[in-house]
Amino acid sequence: MAGKAKKAAPKKKGAGYKMPDPIPTGEVIKDTIFKKEWRIGPSIGVGGFGEIYSACDNTSKAKDYPYAIKIEPSENGPLFVENNFYSRNANKDDITQYMKSKKLSNLGMPIYYGKGTHACKGTSYRYLVLEKYGKDVWSLFNNAGKRFQPATVFQLGLQMLDVLEYIHSRGYVHADIKGANMLLGLKKGCENQVYLVDFGLATRVKEDQPFTPNPKCAHDGTIEYTSRDAHLGEPTMRGDLEILGYNMFHWLTGELPWEKVLKTATTVQNMKESFLKDVRKNITKQFADVPEALIKFFEHINALKPKAVPDYAKCRKLFEDYLKAQGVKRTNKLDFAPPKKTASKTIDNSIEEDDASDEEPIKPQKNGDAPKRRGRKPKVTVEVDTENEEPEPVKETKKKGKRKSSEPAVLVKVKKAKLNPTQTPPAKKNHTNIATQTSTEKPVRQSPRNNTSRHVSFDSPISEIVGNGKMSSSINSSGDIFDDSFTIKEVKVKPKRKLLSMKDEEVTVKRVVKKKVAGVKKTRSWKDSATIVNGRAPPS
């Protein structure tokens, strides 16, 4: 006869904790404290110490499962600690009253709906009933390429500050803040709220005792984010803020300086001590994209004493001021999309032909490598608003010639001196200078077709007639011009423009006036005939 088969022992996972056997779907758990019955649904996931299932009220006929039940063997300790924490600090009435006092519309503190023990297939389990939540921040972080937008990081930081302030006000610290323990809400109006869960390492603060390292609890928590105080075995309030700071730093940069040495806890501890010793220098030297608000947050943590209560208002203001500068409100929708890649500005290092003499000599490389040639870097066009700026003067460049000086050009304005008017030169002998005289009457331009008189200039013999009134013997005049058709008339006029040597005075101007003469019958001259008439030239 075959003997009875022995029941398989619960599986163990990490640190000696036993993992529970799967609970069948439809299993009903009786809650003796809240007098309710919970029906087990499909599994949601496996945690570090147990498994999480979806659940619903057994009396509900709906097919959805709005609750989550966390189950682990009774021999494990973390859920026992968590149950005690929830029963003391996650009461719905206490949370609602705190939110009213802080004027908060939402708070990322979960409310528990039941707890107790349950036996299934001869195994005793401990369970905890909570509200069902959505995706965790860690999976969203991986989906975003391990980088969050800075605004999203500080929005998450503000929500976590509110939760930590509530937990600390109840005399507890969380000690295990990380993206995997931050879950998005599913209820209407809470989709933009992140809830902090998993209080398996929650510890009561010993305010009446001095800070004393505890080697038995050293390095507890998630090694990437464990605070310096927790590395010593004594979790603190400032340690919770430090853990939050490491998470925010990781979300911003996508990496932590000690990621490659996580297997050695003491090495990670030393690197964190060195990192925060001069946090500003270490961050700005290697991570230029980290905002100033996070650096000041770390500096505030360094200034706190081990048992001191953090200044939450100051930390909150740092985060809010950053969001305000970015034009984002803390209540805006959380954007978990990957950050946009911005093209970094490159300086135009292209060398002009005229400036070739300023180029640095190429230095030989080590190990006998050939020197690298310096090529031209691509130019980046930057749009600049020059609407209200004065245009820069255009520099004239020469194709060939010596290189111009690199000194800036200086524009010198020369003030022109006003010269005193010089006296009019004396007129020539027997010649009156009328070039400086003016007339109020403008000369009438005659059409070339109707112009029957010859053009007269001051260089013609008429200028001597105006000057002396007599014909000089040296003038070779023509009879058809001065044949009693002109006369000299004196007219007194007031000059339209002031002369340099006169004031408001009348000037006597001599004009040549055409005189109407009775028609004189002129004889026909050979000049009026054609050049060749009947094939014969005119008489000589």
Side-chain angles (χ1 to χ4, degrees):
M1 194 169 114
K4 294 182 179 179
K6 293 184 179 180
K7 183 174 64 175
K11 300 177 183 179
K12 292 186 178 182
K13 179 183 178 181
Y17 293 112
K18 297 178 181 180
M19 296 302 295
D21 290 331
I23 305 294
T25 302
E27 180 81 7
V28 177
I29 296 176
K30 296 181 179 180
D31 190 345
T32 57
I33 299 176
F34 289 89
K35 308 298 181 182
K36 283 187 177 183
E37 291 184 351
W38 306 98
R39 186 169 67 249
I40 299 296
S43 174
I44 297 176
V46 178
F49 314 113
E51 192 164 0
I52 303 173
Y53 297 87
S54 58
C56 65
D57 192 337
N58 194 32
T59 60
S60 176
K61 296 181 181 180
K63 296 182 179 180
D64 59 336
Y65 296 90
Y67 299 96
I69 293 185
K70 192 173 185 179
I71 297 177
E72 70 176 29
S74 298
E75 297 179 11
N76 293 352
L79 192 55
F80 172 79
V81 176
E82 197 168 7
N83 279 347
N84 288 335
F85 173 83
Y86 273 107
S87 62
R88 296 179 182 180
N89 306 293
N91 185 278
K92 184 176 181 179
D93 295 336
D94 293 341
I95 295 175
T96 302
Q97 184 178 358
Y98 179 82
M99 290 172 60
K100 289 182 179 179
S101 65
K102 296 293 183 179
K103 299 180 180 180
L104 298 174
S105 57
N106 285 314
L107 182 65
M109 179 65 201
I111 299 173
Y112 91 105
Y113 294 91
K115 68 172 186 174
T117 58
H118 176 73
C120 179
K121 297 180 181 181
T123 303
S124 177
Y125 296 95
R126 188 179 285 111
Y127 69 89
L128 174 67
V129 183
L130 299 171
E131 182 182 336
K132 188 177 180 181
Y133 298 106
K135 293 183 178 180
D136 62 277
V137 173
W138 177 251
S139 62
L140 295 171
F141 179 64
N142 288 326
N143 293 338
K146 291 193 173 182
R147 287 286 293 273
F148 279 157
Q149 299 183 31
T152 304
V153 172
F154 284 92
Q155 283 178 280
L156 292 173
L158 281 171
Q159 293 188 14
M160 290 299 102
L161 276 177
D162 293 338
V163 182
L164 292 178
E165 186 177 7
Y166 172 77
I167 297 170
H168 296 169
S169 67
R170 309 286 295 188
Y172 282 82
V173 294
H174 188 280
D176 195 20
I177 304 157
K178 57 184 178 181
N181 291 339
M182 300 178 191
L183 308 178
L184 287 172
L186 288 177
K187 284 186 177 181
K188 186 177 181 180
C190 300
E191 302 89 348
N192 198 46
Q193 179 63 49
V194 175
Y195 292 83
L196 182 62
V197 299
D198 198 347
F199 290 83
L201 294 180
T203 306
R204 193 169 186 86
V205 178
K206 302 174 184 179
E207 298 180 358
D208 55 341
Q209 298 180 8
F211 179 81
T212 305
N214 184 4
K216 293 182 180 180
C217 300
H219 314 298
D220 278 356
T222 304
I223 193 66
E224 294 97 316
Y225 311 113
T226 303
S227 67
R228 292 169 295 174
D229 293 338
H231 275 295
L232 298 174
E234 185 68 18
T236 59
M237 295 181 185
R238 72 172 185 177
D240 271 358
L241 265 64
E242 183 179 326
I243 297 172
L244 174 60
Y246 292 149
N247 278 271
M248 295 177 67
F249 184 81
H250 196 184
W251 297 335
L252 284 168
T253 63
E255 59 178 322
L256 290 169
W258 42 85
E259 278 186 352
K260 297 180 180 180
V261 293
L262 296 179
K263 293 182 179 180
T264 309
T266 53
T267 304
V268 175
Q269 178 185 359
N270 293 334
M271 292 187 69
K272 290 176 181 176
E273 292 281 356
S274 177
F275 178 76
L276 291 182
K277 188 175 182 180
D278 193 350
V279 63
R280 176 174 294 277
K281 179 181 178 181
N282 291 328
I283 290 180
T284 55
K285 185 178 180 180
Q286 300 180 16
F287 306 93
D289 296 335
V290 176
E292 178 72 12
L294 186 59
I295 298 177
K296 290 184 178 179
F297 179 67
F298 277 120
E299 290 176 342
H300 172 68
I301 296 170
N302 286 338
L304 293 172
K305 294 182 179 180
K307 293 289 183 177
V309 178
D311 190 346
Y312 305 100
K314 180 178 180 179
C315 298
R316 194 176 290 110
K317 189 176 186 304
L318 287 174
F319 295 174
E320 288 176 345
D321 288 347
Y322 174 79
L323 291 176
K324 185 178 180 180
Q326 301 299 316
V328 180
K329 296 181 180 179
R330 62 173 297 173
T331 56
N332 286 11
K333 183 180 178 180
L334 293 171
D335 187 0
F336 294 105
K340 296 180 181 179
K341 295 181 180 181
T342 55
S344 59
K345 292 185 179 180
T346 57
I347 302 174
D348 180 18
N349 289 330
S350 59
I351 303 173
E352 300 294 340
E353 293 180 1
D354 292 341
D355 295 336
S357 60
D358 291 339
E359 182 180 356
E360 295 180 1
I362 300 175
K363 297 180 180 180
Q365 304 295 321
K366 294 181 180 181
N367 302 327
D369 296 338
K372 297 181 179 180
R373 297 187 63 85
R374 295 176 60 184
R376 293 192 177 187
K377 297 184 178 180
K379 296 184 179 180
V380 178
T381 303
V382 182
E383 294 183 359
V384 182
D385 184 12
T386 59
E387 181 179 356
N388 298 323
E389 296 182 4
E390 296 182 359
E392 296 182 357
V394 180
K395 297 181 180 179
E396 296 182 358
T397 57
K398 297 181 180 179
K399 294 183 179 179
K400 296 182 179 181
K402 295 183 179 180
R403 181 174 62 88
K404 294 184 178 181
S405 173
S406 60
E407 296 294 330
V410 180
L411 180 61
V412 179
K413 294 184 178 181
V414 179
K415 187 176 180 181
K416 294 183 179 180
K418 294 184 179 181
L419 301 178
N420 295 326
T422 57
Q423 296 180 356
T424 304
K428 295 181 180 180
K429 185 178 180 179
N430 300 327
H431 181 77
T432 303
N433 187 3
I434 63 172
T436 58
Q437 299 175 355
T438 59
S439 173
T440 56
E441 297 183 4
K442 296 182 179 180
V444 180
R445 291 187 176 180
Q446 297 181 354
S447 175
R449 295 180 180 178
N450 302 326
N451 187 9
T452 57
S453 61
R454 297 186 180 181
H455 176 70
V456 180
S457 65
F458 287 108
D459 295 331
S460 64
I462 195 171
S463 61
E464 295 195 16
I465 298 174
V466 174
N468 298 329
K470 296 180 181 180
M471 181 70 70
S472 174
S473 60
S474 63
I475 298 175
N476 185 15
S477 59
S478 177
D480 57 351
I481 298 178
F482 300 102
D483 189 10
D484 298 332
S485 60
F486 294 91
T487 184
I488 299 173
K489 183 179 179 180
E490 294 185 0
V491 182
K492 292 184 178 181
V493 296
K494 188 175 181 179
K496 190 173 182 179
R497 291 180 295 179
K498 294 182 180 181
L499 300 178
L500 297 176
S501 61
M502 299 189 310
K503 295 184 179 180
D504 297 340
E505 297 178 0
E506 293 184 350
V507 181
T508 301
V509 179
K510 293 182 180 181
R511 295 181 180 174
V512 178
V513 183
K514 187 174 182 180
K515 185 177 75 171
K516 292 183 180 181
V517 184
V520 180
K521 189 176 180 180
K522 294 184 180 180
T523 59
R524 184 176 179 84
S525 173
W526 65 269
K527 296 181 180 179
D528 299 329
S529 61
T531 306
I532 299 175
V533 180
N534 298 326
R536 298 175 63 185
S540 56

